[in-house]
């Protein structure tokens, strides 16, 4: 017995594809976010691998990289923005996997504004996935901004730093970048930076934050210095931040348009 798709309207207008919209409204899925510059994306292969791994874990099916590249390239062309912020969302719909691509205005290049963060006792569920349904991190991020901060720093109940609400965080001890190992998402920007700069991965307790010299956050939109975590303050280390921004700038972009258009795995 087949089930007919739900009737869905948006502001009184019937949805063009109710089945796709119903899958999106389920709130169960995952995504990746990237900056496109002249039709290229830094770490594109990492984005494709992330999407395939998460699709296999959540829906038990592969997501060929060629399919994603075709859909991404098509959406970027249609938008008329070869420089843009793009997201690829993946939803399950019974035996099907639906892919949604959004293309918006590009984020500014260069260093972001300094960030003052406040620590909150919260970890994202299945933190290794860039999944949908980020109510908790949005809630804590908004609460942090209402309290006069720029964002939230997520921590374990034992007081160990995990990640920012929407970014990874790194601390500088004078010799190496220290990336926290509490449950977190391995962001693409983090994955590109860590091998190119002196880096270690180890637990970072909140009571150890005064021992660091500087800190910054990194995500698909920006790299930004952290100037405070609650009462712990850091100067903006101009030399460090220049080094980090330069390392990221040196990462070559990968073409999103494979040129063959056959949708094969990439």
């Amino acid at each position: 017995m087949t089930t007919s798709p739900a009737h869905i309207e948006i502001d009184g207008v019937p949805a063009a594809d109710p089945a796709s919209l119903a899958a999106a409204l389920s709130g169960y899925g995952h995504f990746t976010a990237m900056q496109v510059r002249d039709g290229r994306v830094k770490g594109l292969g990492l984005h494709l691998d992330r999407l395939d791994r998460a699709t296999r874990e959540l829906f038990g099916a592969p997501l060929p990289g060629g399919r994603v590249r075709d859909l991404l390239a098509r959406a970027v062309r249609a938008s008329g923005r070869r420089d843009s912020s793009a997201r690829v969302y993946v939803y399950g719909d019974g035996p099907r996997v639906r892919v949604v691509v959004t293309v918006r205005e590009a984020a500014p290049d260069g260093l972001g504004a300094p960030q003052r963060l406040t620590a909150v006792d919260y970890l994202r569920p299945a933190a290794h996935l860039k999944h949908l349904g980020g109510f908790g991190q949005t809630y804590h991020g908004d609460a942090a901004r209402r309290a006069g901060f720029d964002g939230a720093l997520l921590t374990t109940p034992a007081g160990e730093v995990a990640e920012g609400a929407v970014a990874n965080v790194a601390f500088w001890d004078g010799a190496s970048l220290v990336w926290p190992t509490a449950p977190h998402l391995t962001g693409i920007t983090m994955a590109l930076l860590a091998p190119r700069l002196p880096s270690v991965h180890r637990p970072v307790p909140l009571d150890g934050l005064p021992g660091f010299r500087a800190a910054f956050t990194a995500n698909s939109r920006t790299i930004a210095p952290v100037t405070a975590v609650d009462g712990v303050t850091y100067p903006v280390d101009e030399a460090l931040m220049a080094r980090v921004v330069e390392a990221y700038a040196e990462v070559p972009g990968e073409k999103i348009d494979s040129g063959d258009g056959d949708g094969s795995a990439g």
Side-chain angles (χ1 to χ4, degrees):
M1 177 179 178
T2 59
T3 302
S4 60
H7 177 75
I8 301 175
E9 298 189 1
I10 303 173
D11 290 336
V13 179
D17 184 354
S20 293
L21 184 58
L25 289 176
S26 72
Y28 189 75
H30 63 93
F31 73 103
T32 197
M34 63 194 76
Q35 292 297 309
V36 182
R37 295 293 182 269
D38 193 27
R40 294 175 177 269
V41 172
K42 295 178 186 292
L44 178 61
L46 298 179
H47 285 284
L48 300 180
D49 288 345
R50 163 191 277 174
L51 292 171
D52 182 57
R53 287 196 308 272
T55 301
R56 290 172 186 271
E57 181 172 343
L58 294 182
F59 306 120
L63 180 58
R67 177 185 175 192
V68 175
R69 287 178 67 166
D70 283 351
L71 294 172
L72 178 60
R74 183 179 306 165
V76 170
R77 284 196 301 268
S79 74
R81 292 171 166 158
R82 284 181 65 79
D83 289 355
S84 55
S85 297
R87 289 190 172 197
V88 179
Y89 296 88
V90 182
Y91 305 91
D93 178 20
R96 300 185 59 183
V97 173
R98 295 184 179 268
V99 179
V100 176
V101 180
T102 65
V103 182
R104 295 185 171 87
E105 183 177 350
D109 290 325
L111 196 63
Q115 300 291 296
R116 295 177 61 255
L117 307 178
T118 184
V120 299
D121 179 1
Y122 178 77
L123 294 176
R124 295 185 308 110
H128 65 290
L129 296 173
K130 193 172 180 69
H131 53 71
L132 303 178
F135 175 86
Q137 65 207 87
T138 301
Y139 172 84
H140 287 296
D142 286 348
R145 284 182 283 275
R146 287 195 298 270
F149 295 90
D150 298 299
L153 185 68
L154 309 186
T155 68
T156 70
E160 188 178 317
V161 175
E163 58 189 342
V166 292
N168 291 115
V169 62
F171 298 90
W172 175 245
D173 65 7
S176 301
L177 295 176
V178 179
W179 302 90
T181 53
H184 65 280
L185 174 75
T186 299
I188 304 300
T189 303
M190 169 187 167
L192 294 172
L193 286 174
R196 291 171 168 81
L197 296 163
S199 294
V200 297
H201 300 261
R202 63 172 173 81
V204 177
L206 278 173
D207 60 12
L209 295 189
F212 292 104
R213 299 185 181 184
F216 66 88
T217 59
N219 63 15
S220 66
R221 293 188 62 84
T222 191
I223 297 167
V226 172
T227 55
V229 177
D230 294 314
V232 178
T233 60
Y234 300 113
V236 176
D237 188 324
E238 302 288 354
L240 171 66
M241 297 316 303
R243 190 176 176 187
V244 173
V245 170
E246 181 181 7
Y248 187 68
E250 290 175 349
V251 178
E254 302 171 48
K255 290 178 61 176
I256 59 175
D257 191 342
S258 63
D260 54 28
D262 66 0
S264 59

